[in-house]
Amino acid sequence: GDYKSAMKYYSQLTVQDKNDASFWLSMAQAALGADLPRQAIIYSKKALTLKPDMAQAYLVSGSAHYKNSEYKQAIDDFGKAIDGFADAQFGWLMTARCYERIGNAERAKAAYEKASQFQTDSELQKLLVKSSQGN
């Protein structure tokens, strides 16, 4: 829960190994948790520079853009994390939320339907899908 302290420690680790994408992802996640979305975007991009197929970095960056009401950028990031990844349902859910925010109900509905096709053990994701379906 102490994301700012976590950022401090991860920052020290990245000094030791600046080419480890997982450290940059951890810093991005900590920044997002500390309500520092701009930093989260910067750290996510660094992780993606090192490992371009890191789906979780796209999810963090998309979530940070979402927090900043930058929905089109968020949709782009979530779209890169969707296909074939374990976190695809979350990516589809957040894509749907972004489309809702920009007023595109048709695309939001399609994204919610896509999200509902994934099996998940996450109670939060189940709740989000269920609430989107009006149940």
Side-chain angles (χ1 to χ4, degrees), residues 2 4 10 12 16 18 21 26 32 45 51-52 65 68 73 81-82 89 92-93 104 107 111 119 124:
D2 188 0
K4 289 185 181 182
Y10 285 125
Q12 292 170 356
Q16 295 173 5
K18 293 181 181 180
S26 295
L32 189 61
K45 290 192 185 308
K51 190 174 179 188
H65 281 297
N68 281 341
Q73 295 93 328
I82 288 172
Q89 184 183 40
W92 281 112
L93 286 170
N104 191 329
R107 284 198 172 186
Q119 297 297 326
L124 175 60

Side-chain angles (χ1 to χ4, degrees), residues 38-51:
R38 285 282 167 228
Q39 288 300 112
I41 292 166
I42 291 167
Y43 298 144
S44 294
K45 290 192 185 308
K46 179 64 176 173
L48 289 164
T49 298
L50 297 169
K51 190 174 179 188

Side-chain angles (χ1 to χ4, degrees), residues 5 23 27 33 39 41-43 62 73-74 76 78 84 87 93 102 104 107-109 111 114 119 121 126 134:
S5 291
F23 286 132
M27 286 202 34
Q39 288 300 112
I41 292 166
I42 291 167
Y43 298 144
Q73 295 93 328
D76 288 343
F78 291 132
D87 295 320
L93 286 170
I102 61 175
N104 191 329
R107 284 198 172 186
K109 182 180 178 193
K114 189 73 171 174
Q119 297 297 326
D121 292 333
K126 288 177 187 177

Side-chain angles (χ1 to χ4, degrees), residues 14 17-29 40-63 76-88 90-91:
T14 58
D17 190 358
K18 293 181 181 180
N19 294 319
D20 189 334
S22 66
F23 286 132
W24 290 105
L25 174 61
S26 295
M27 286 202 34
Q29 291 168 329
I41 292 166
I42 291 167
Y43 298 144
S44 294
K45 290 192 185 308
K46 179 64 176 173
L48 289 164
T49 298
L50 297 169
K51 190 174 179 188
D53 64 343
M54 187 178 253
Q56 287 187 335
Y58 285 114
L59 293 176
V60 172
S61 181
S63 296
D76 288 343
D77 283 344
F78 291 132
K80 292 172 185 163
I82 288 172
D83 294 326
F85 295 109
D87 295 320
F90 180 77

Side-chain angles (χ1 to χ4, degrees), residues 112-131:
Y112 278 127
E113 288 174 5
K114 189 73 171 174
S116 70
Q117 295 173 7
F118 291 87
Q119 297 297 326
T120 182
D121 292 333
S122 167
E123 292 303 316
L124 175 60
Q125 289 183 16
K126 288 177 187 177
L127 180 63
L128 288 172
V129 170
K130 191 174 183 178
S131 72

